[in-house]
Coordinates of all heavy atoms in Angstrom, one line a residue:
M10 N 86.7 10.0 188.6 CA 85.7 11.0 188.4 C 85.8 12.1 189.6 O 86.0 11.7 190.7 CB 84.3 10.4 188.4 CG 83.2 11.4 188.2 SD 81.5 10.7 188.2 CE 81.6 9.7 186.8
A11 N 85.6 13.3 189.2 CA 85.7 14.4 190.2 C 84.5 14.3 191.2 O 83.5 13.9 190.8 CB 85.7 15.7 189.5
K12 N 84.9 14.7 192.4 CA 83.8 14.8 193.4 C 83.4 16.2 193.6 O 84.3 17.1 193.4 CB 84.2 14.1 194.7 CG 84.6 12.7 194.6 CD 83.4 11.8 194.4 CE 82.4 11.9 195.6 NZ 81.1 11.1 195.3
G13 N 82.2 16.5 194.0 CA 81.8 17.8 194.1 C 81.0 18.1 195.4 O 80.6 17.1 196.1
E14 N 80.9 19.3 195.7 CA 80.1 19.7 196.9 C 79.4 21.0 196.5 O 80.0 21.8 195.8 CB 81.0 20.0 198.1 CG 80.2 20.4 199.3 CD 81.0 20.6 200.5 OE1 82.3 20.3 200.4 OE2 80.6 21.0 201.5
I15 N 78.1 21.1 196.8 CA 77.4 22.3 196.6 C 77.0 23.0 197.8 O 76.7 22.3 198.8 CB 76.2 22.1 195.6 CG1 75.1 21.3 196.3 CG2 76.6 21.5 194.3 CD1 73.8 21.3 195.6
I16 N 76.9 24.3 197.8 CA 76.4 25.1 198.9 C 75.2 25.9 198.4 O 75.4 26.7 197.4 CB 77.5 26.0 199.5 CG1 78.7 25.3 199.9 CG2 76.9 26.9 200.6 CD1 78.6 24.3 201.0
I17 N 74.1 25.8 199.0 CA 72.9 26.6 198.6 C 72.7 27.7 199.5 O 72.6 27.6 200.8 CB 71.7 25.7 198.6 CG1 71.8 24.6 197.6 CG2 70.4 26.6 198.3 CD1 70.8 23.5 197.6
D18 N 72.7 28.9 199.0 CA 72.5 30.2 199.8 C 71.1 30.4 200.1 O 70.3 30.7 199.2 CB 73.1 31.4 199.0 CG 73.1 32.7 199.9 OD1 72.2 32.7 200.7 OD2 73.9 33.5 199.6
E19 N 70.7 30.1 201.3 CA 69.2 30.3 201.7 C 68.7 31.6 201.5 O 67.4 31.8 201.2 CB 69.0 29.8 203.2 CG 69.5 28.4 203.4 CD 69.2 28.0 204.9 OE1 68.5 28.8 205.6 OE2 69.7 27.0 205.3
N20 N 69.5 32.6 201.5 CA 69.0 34.0 201.3 C 68.7 34.4 199.9 O 68.0 35.2 199.6 CB 70.1 34.9 201.9 CG 70.2 34.8 203.4 OD1 69.1 35.0 204.1 ND2 71.3 34.6 203.9
K21 N 69.3 33.6 198.9 CA 69.1 33.9 197.5 C 68.0 32.9 197.0 O 67.4 33.2 196.0 CB 70.4 33.8 196.7 CG 71.4 34.7 197.1 CD 72.7 34.5 196.3 CE 73.7 35.5 196.5 NZ 75.0 35.2 195.8
C22 N 67.9 31.7 197.5 CA 67.0 30.7 196.9 C 65.5 31.1 197.0 O 65.1 31.8 198.0 CB 67.1 29.5 197.7 SG 66.0 28.1 197.2
R23 N 64.8 30.9 195.9 CA 63.4 31.2 195.8 C 62.6 29.9 195.6 O 61.4 30.0 195.2 CB 63.2 32.2 194.6 CG 63.8 33.6 194.8 CD 63.3 34.3 196.0 NE 63.7 35.6 196.1 CZ 64.8 36.0 196.8 NH1 65.5 35.1 197.4 NH2 65.2 37.2 196.9
G24 N 63.2 28.8 195.8 CA 62.4 27.6 195.9 C 61.8 27.1 194.6 O 60.8 26.3 194.6
C25 N 62.4 27.4 193.5 CA 61.9 27.1 192.2 C 62.0 25.6 191.8 O 61.2 25.0 191.0 CB 62.5 27.9 191.0 SG 64.2 27.5 190.7
G26 N 63.1 25.0 192.4 CA 63.3 23.5 192.2 C 64.1 23.2 191.0 O 64.2 22.0 190.6
Y27 N 64.6 24.1 190.2 CA 65.3 23.8 189.0 C 66.6 22.9 189.4 O 66.9 22.1 188.6 CB 65.8 25.1 188.3 CG 64.7 25.9 187.5 CD1 63.4 25.4 187.6 CD2 65.0 26.9 186.7 CE1 62.4 26.0 186.8 CE2 64.0 27.5 185.9 CZ 62.8 27.1 186.0 OH 61.8 27.7 185.3
C28 N 67.2 23.3 190.4 CA 68.4 22.5 190.8 C 68.0 21.0 191.0 O 68.8 20.2 190.7 CB 69.0 23.1 192.0 SG 68.0 23.3 193.5
V29 N 66.9 20.7 191.6 CA 66.4 19.4 191.8 C 66.2 18.8 190.5 O 66.5 17.7 190.2 CB 65.1 19.5 192.7 CG1 64.6 18.1 192.9 CG2 65.4 20.0 194.1
L30 N 65.5 19.5 189.6 CA 65.0 19.0 188.3 C 66.2 18.6 187.5 O 66.3 17.6 186.7 CB 64.2 20.0 187.6 CG 63.5 19.5 186.4 CD1 62.5 18.5 186.5 CD2 62.8 20.8 185.7
F31 N 67.2 19.4 187.5 CA 68.3 19.3 186.5 C 69.5 18.5 187.0 O 70.4 18.2 186.2 CB 68.8 20.7 186.0 CG 67.8 21.3 185.0 CD1 66.8 22.2 185.5 CD2 67.8 20.8 183.7 CE1 66.0 22.8 184.6 CE2 66.8 21.4 182.8 CZ 65.9 22.3 183.2
C32 N 69.5 18.1 188.3 CA 70.6 17.3 188.8 C 70.4 15.9 188.4 O 69.6 15.2 189.0 CB 70.8 17.4 190.3 SG 72.1 16.3 190.9
K33 N 71.1 15.4 187.4 CA 70.9 14.0 186.9 C 71.4 13.0 187.8 O 71.1 11.8 187.7 CB 71.5 13.8 185.5 CG 70.8 14.8 184.5 CD 69.4 14.6 184.5 CE 68.6 15.6 183.5 NZ 67.2 15.6 183.7
Q34 N 72.1 13.4 188.8 CA 72.8 12.5 189.8 C 71.7 12.3 191.0 O 72.0 11.4 191.8 CB 74.0 13.0 190.4 CG 75.2 13.1 189.3 CD 75.6 11.8 188.7 OE1 75.3 11.6 187.6 NE2 76.1 11.0 189.5
G35 N 70.7 13.1 191.0 CA 69.7 12.9 192.0 C 70.2 13.4 193.4 O 69.8 12.8 194.4
C36 N 71.1 14.3 193.4 CA 71.7 14.7 194.7 C 70.8 15.6 195.5 O 70.9 15.7 196.7 CB 72.9 15.5 194.4 SG 74.2 14.6 193.5
I37 N 69.8 16.3 194.9 CA 69.1 17.4 195.6 C 67.6 17.1 195.6 O 67.1 16.6 194.6 CB 69.3 18.7 194.9 CG1 70.8 18.9 194.5 CG2 68.9 19.8 195.8 CD1 71.0 20.0 193.5
V38 N 66.9 17.3 196.7 CA 65.5 17.2 196.8 C 65.0 18.4 197.4 O 65.7 19.1 198.2 CB 65.0 15.9 197.7 CG1 65.5 14.6 197.0 CG2 65.6 16.0 199.0
M39 N 63.7 18.7 197.2 CA 63.1 19.8 197.9 C 62.6 19.4 199.3 O 62.0 18.3 199.4 CB 61.8 20.3 197.1 CG 62.1 21.0 195.8 SD 63.3 22.4 195.9 CE 62.3 23.5 196.8
S40 N 63.0 20.1 200.2 CA 62.5 19.8 201.6 C 61.0 20.0 201.8 O 60.4 20.7 201.0 CB 63.2 20.8 202.6 OG 62.6 20.7 203.8
E41 N 60.5 19.2 202.6 CA 59.0 19.4 202.9 C 58.8 20.2 204.1 O 57.6 20.6 204.4 CB 58.3 18.0 203.0 CG 58.5 17.1 201.8 CD 57.7 15.9 202.0 OE1 57.3 15.5 203.0 OE2 57.7 15.1 200.9
D42 N 59.8 20.5 204.9 CA 59.6 21.2 206.1 C 60.7 22.3 206.5 O 60.7 22.8 207.6 CB 59.4 20.3 207.3 CG 60.6 19.3 207.4 OD1 61.6 19.5 206.6 OD2 60.6 18.4 208.3
R43 N 61.5 22.5 205.5 CA 62.6 23.6 205.7 C 62.3 24.8 204.8 O 62.1 24.5 203.6 CB 63.9 23.0 205.6 CG 64.4 22.1 206.7 CD 65.8 21.7 206.6 NE 66.7 22.8 206.6 CZ 67.9 22.9 206.2 NH1 68.4 21.8 205.7 NH2 68.7 24.0 206.2
F44 N 62.4 25.9 205.2 CA 62.1 27.1 204.5 C 63.3 28.1 204.5 O 64.0 28.2 205.4 CB 60.8 27.7 205.0 CG 59.6 26.9 204.9 CD1 59.3 26.0 206.0 CD2 58.8 26.9 203.8 CE1 58.2 25.2 205.9 CE2 57.7 26.1 203.7 CZ 57.4 25.2 204.8
T45 N 63.3 28.9 203.4 CA 64.2 30.0 203.3 C 63.8 31.1 204.2 O 62.6 31.1 204.6 CB 64.4 30.5 201.9 OG1 63.2 31.2 201.6 CG2 64.6 29.4 200.9
P46 N 64.6 32.1 204.5 CA 64.2 33.2 205.4 C 63.0 34.0 204.7 O 62.2 34.6 205.5 CB 65.4 34.2 205.4 CG 66.5 33.2 205.2 CD 66.0 32.2 204.3
L47 N 62.8 33.8 203.4 CA 61.6 34.5 202.8 C 60.3 33.6 202.7 O 59.4 34.0 202.1 CB 62.0 35.0 201.4 CG 63.0 36.2 201.4 CD1 63.4 36.5 199.9 CD2 62.4 37.4 202.0
G48 N 60.6 32.3 203.1 CA 59.4 31.5 203.2 C 59.2 30.5 202.1 O 58.2 29.8 201.9
Y49 N 60.2 30.4 201.2 CA 60.2 29.4 200.1 C 60.7 28.0 200.6 O 61.6 28.0 201.5 CB 61.1 29.9 199.0 CG 60.7 31.1 198.3 CD1 61.2 32.3 198.7 CD2 59.6 31.2 197.4 CE1 60.8 33.6 198.1 CE2 59.2 32.4 196.9 CZ 59.9 33.6 197.2 OH 59.4 34.8 196.6
L50 N 60.1 27.0 200.0 CA 60.6 25.7 200.3 C 62.2 25.6 199.9 O 62.5 26.0 198.8 CB 59.8 24.6 199.6 CG 58.6 24.1 200.3 CD1 57.8 23.1 199.6 CD2 58.9 23.4 201.7
L51 N 62.9 24.9 200.8 CA 64.3 24.9 200.6 C 64.8 23.6 200.0 O 64.4 22.5 200.5 CB 65.1 25.2 201.9 CG 66.6 25.3 202.0 CD1 67.0 26.6 201.3 CD2 67.0 25.2 203.4
P52 N 65.6 23.6 198.9 CA 66.2 22.4 198.5 C 67.4 21.9 199.4 O 68.0 22.8 200.0 CB 66.8 22.8 197.1 CG 67.0 24.2 197.2 CD 66.0 24.8 198.2
V53 N 67.5 20.6 199.5 CA 68.5 20.1 200.4 C 69.3 19.1 199.6 O 68.8 18.4 198.8 CB 67.9 19.5 201.7 CG1 67.4 20.6 202.6 CG2 66.9 18.4 201.4
V54 N 70.5 18.9 200.0 CA 71.4 17.9 199.4 C 71.2 16.6 200.1 O 71.7 16.4 201.2 CB 72.9 18.4 199.4 CG1 73.7 17.3 198.6 CG2 73.0 19.8 198.8
S55 N 70.4 15.7 199.5 CA 70.1 14.4 200.2 C 71.1 13.4 199.8 O 71.3 12.5 200.6 CB 68.7 13.9 199.6 OG 68.8 13.8 198.2
H56 N 71.9 13.5 198.7 CA 72.9 12.5 198.4 C 74.2 13.2 197.9 O 74.6 13.1 196.8 CB 72.4 11.6 197.2 CG 71.3 10.7 197.6 ND1 71.4 9.7 198.5 CD2 70.0 10.7 197.3 CE1 70.3 9.1 198.7 NE2 69.3 9.7 198.0
P57 N 74.9 13.8 198.9 CA 76.1 14.6 198.6 C 77.2 13.6 198.0 O 78.0 14.1 197.2 CB 76.6 15.1 199.9 CG 75.9 14.2 200.9 CD 74.6 13.8 200.3
D58 N 77.1 12.4 198.3 CA 78.2 11.4 197.8 C 78.0 11.2 196.3 O 79.0 10.8 195.6 CB 78.0 10.1 198.5 CG 76.6 9.5 198.4 OD1 75.6 10.3 198.8 OD2 76.3 8.4 197.9
K59 N 76.9 11.5 195.7 CA 76.8 11.3 194.2 C 77.2 12.5 193.4 O 77.2 12.4 192.2 CB 75.2 11.0 194.0 CG 74.7 9.7 194.5 CD 73.2 9.4 194.2 CE 72.8 8.1 194.7 NZ 71.4 7.9 194.3
C60 N 77.5 13.6 194.1 CA 77.8 14.9 193.3 C 79.1 14.7 192.6 O 80.1 14.3 193.1 CB 77.8 16.0 194.2 SG 78.2 17.6 193.4
N61 N 79.1 14.9 191.2 CA 80.3 14.8 190.4 C 80.8 16.2 189.9 O 81.6 16.2 189.0 CB 80.0 13.9 189.2 CG 78.9 14.4 188.3 OD1 78.5 15.6 188.5 ND2 78.4 13.7 187.4
A62 N 80.3 17.2 190.6 CA 80.7 18.6 190.3 C 80.4 19.0 188.9 O 81.2 19.8 188.3 CB 82.2 18.8 190.6
C63 N 79.4 18.6 188.3 CA 79.1 18.9 186.9 C 78.8 20.4 186.8 O 78.9 21.0 185.7 CB 78.0 18.0 186.3 SG 76.4 18.4 187.0
G64 N 78.2 20.9 187.8 CA 77.9 22.4 187.8 C 76.5 22.7 187.2 O 76.2 24.0 187.2
I65 N 75.8 21.8 186.8 CA 74.5 22.1 186.1 C 73.5 22.8 187.1 O 72.8 23.8 186.7 CB 73.8 20.8 185.7 CG1 74.7 20.1 184.6 CG2 72.5 21.1 185.1 CD1 74.8 20.9 183.3
C66 N 73.6 22.3 188.4 CA 72.6 23.0 189.3 C 72.9 24.5 189.5 O 72.0 25.3 189.5 CB 72.6 22.3 190.7 SG 74.3 22.2 191.3
G67 N 74.2 24.9 189.5 CA 74.6 26.2 189.6 C 74.2 27.0 188.3 O 73.8 28.2 188.5
M68 N 74.3 26.4 187.2 CA 74.1 27.1 185.9 C 72.6 27.4 185.8 O 72.2 28.3 185.2 CB 74.6 26.3 184.8 CG 76.1 26.3 184.6 SD 76.6 25.5 183.1 CE 77.1 23.9 183.8
M69 N 71.8 26.3 186.3 CA 70.4 26.4 186.0 C 69.6 27.3 187.1 O 68.5 27.8 186.9 CB 69.7 25.0 186.1 CG 70.2 24.2 184.9 SD 70.1 24.9 183.4 CE 68.3 25.1 183.2
C70 N 70.3 27.6 188.2 CA 69.6 28.4 189.3 C 69.5 29.8 188.8 O 70.5 30.6 188.6 CB 70.5 28.3 190.5 SG 69.7 29.4 191.8
P71 N 68.3 30.3 188.7 CA 68.1 31.7 188.2 C 68.4 32.8 189.2 O 68.4 33.9 188.9 CB 66.6 31.7 187.9 CG 66.0 30.6 188.5 CD 67.0 29.6 188.9
H72 N 68.7 32.3 190.5 CA 69.0 33.3 191.5 C 70.4 33.2 192.0 O 70.7 33.8 193.0 CB 67.9 33.2 192.6 CG 66.5 33.4 192.2 ND1 66.0 34.7 191.9 CD2 65.5 32.5 191.9 CE1 64.8 34.6 191.5 NE2 64.5 33.3 191.4
Y73 N 71.2 32.5 191.2 CA 72.7 32.4 191.6 C 72.9 31.9 193.0 O 73.7 32.5 193.8 CB 73.4 33.7 191.3 CG 73.1 34.2 189.9 CD1 72.2 35.3 189.6 CD2 73.8 33.7 188.8 CE1 72.0 35.7 188.4 CE2 73.6 34.1 187.5 CZ 72.7 35.1 187.3 OH 72.5 35.6 186.0
A74 N 72.0 31.0 193.4 CA 72.0 30.6 194.9 C 72.9 29.4 195.2 O 73.1 29.0 196.2 CB 70.6 30.3 195.3
V75 N 73.4 28.7 194.0 CA 74.2 27.5 194.2 C 75.7 27.7 193.9 O 75.9 28.2 192.7 CB 73.6 26.3 193.4 CG1 74.3 25.1 193.7 CG2 72.1 26.3 193.6
E76 N 76.5 27.4 194.8 CA 77.9 27.4 194.5 C 78.4 26.0 194.5 O 78.0 25.2 195.3 CB 78.7 28.1 195.6 CG 78.5 29.6 195.6 CD 79.5 30.3 196.5 OE1 80.5 29.7 196.9 OE2 79.1 31.5 196.9
V77 N 79.2 25.7 193.4 CA 79.7 24.3 193.2 C 81.2 24.2 193.4 O 81.9 25.1 192.8 CB 79.3 23.8 191.7 CG1 79.8 22.4 191.6 CG2 77.8 23.9 191.5
Y78 N 81.6 23.4 194.2 CA 83.1 23.1 194.4 C 83.5 21.8 193.9 O 82.7 20.8 194.0 CB 83.3 23.2 195.9 CG 83.1 24.6 196.5 CD1 81.7 24.9 197.1 CD2 83.9 25.6 196.4 CE1 81.4 26.1 197.6 CE2 83.6 26.9 196.9 CZ 82.4 27.1 197.5 OH 82.1 28.4 197.9
K79 N 84.6 21.8 193.3 CA 85.1 20.6 192.6 C 86.4 20.1 193.3 O 87.2 20.9 193.5 CB 85.4 20.8 191.1 CG 85.8 19.6 190.3 CD 86.0 20.0 188.9 CE 86.3 18.8 188.0 NZ 86.4 19.2 186.5
F80 N 86.4 18.8 193.6 CA 87.6 18.2 194.2 C 88.1 17.2 193.3 O 87.4 16.3 192.7 CB 87.2 17.5 195.5 CG 86.6 18.5 196.5 CD1 85.2 18.4 196.6 CD2 87.4 19.4 197.3 CE1 84.6 19.4 197.5 CE2 86.7 20.3 198.1 CZ 85.3 20.3 198.2
I81 N 89.4 17.2 193.0 CA 90.0 16.3 192.0 C 90.7 15.2 192.8 O 91.4 15.4 193.8 CB 91.0 17.0 191.1 CG1 90.1 18.1 190.3 CG2 91.6 16.1 190.1 CD1 91.1 18.9 189.4
Ligands
LIG8 S1 77.1 19.8 190.6 FE1 76.0 18.4 189.2 S2 75.9 16.5 190.3 FE2 76.5 18.0 191.8 S3 74.6 18.6 192.8 FE3 74.9 20.0 191.0 S4 73.9 19.1 189.3 FE4 74.0 17.5 190.9
LIG9 S1 67.4 26.5 191.4 FE1 68.2 28.0 192.8 S2 66.4 29.3 193.5 FE2 65.6 27.4 192.5 S3 65.4 25.9 194.3 FE3 67.4 25.6 193.5 S4 68.8 26.9 194.7 FE4 66.7 27.6 195.0

């Protein structure tokens, strides 16, 4: 299975949590104490080892803040 890595652009993120909601691998959680430069709660990758590069988080982000990298 492919492995993935995601990068979240803090300057684009608006803290909606869609990436957390739609990652079925449970890789992402909303931080309770980290904020974007605009003051939104920031999602963080809590389980990077589980990412399979499916790309759903990137597709669901309404602000194009998630880049997904796939390693074969
Ligand atoms: S690429 Fe898929 S598995 Fe990886 S963090 Fe995004 S939704 Fe989760
Ligand atoms: S879906 Fe995009 S804007 Fe929403 S919390 Fe995730 S990275 Fe931020």
Side-chain angles (χ1 to χ4, degrees):
M10 181 182 294
K12 296 293 294 178
E14 179 180 355
I15 66 166
I16 305 292
I17 297 172
D18 186 334
E19 299 185 9
N20 292 305
K21 292 180 180 176
C22 176
R23 295 296 184 270
C25 67
Y27 282 7
C28 54
V29 178
L30 185 65
F31 286 98
C32 177
K33 297 308 178 191
Q34 298 298 112
C36 300
I37 317 168
V38 296
M39 291 305 290
S40 170
E41 295 182 358
D42 56 5
R43 289 187 59 196
F44 297 89
T45 72
L47 290 176
Y49 297 100
L50 273 175
L51 187 67
V53 294
V54 184
S55 58
H56 294 289
D58 52 304
K59 294 183 179 178
C60 180
N61 62 11
C63 71
I65 297 293
C66 55
M68 286 186 262
M69 296 310 297
C70 177
H72 299 284
Y73 306 101
V75 185
E76 287 188 22
V77 180
Y78 297 93
K79 183 177 184 178
F80 304 98
I81 299 176

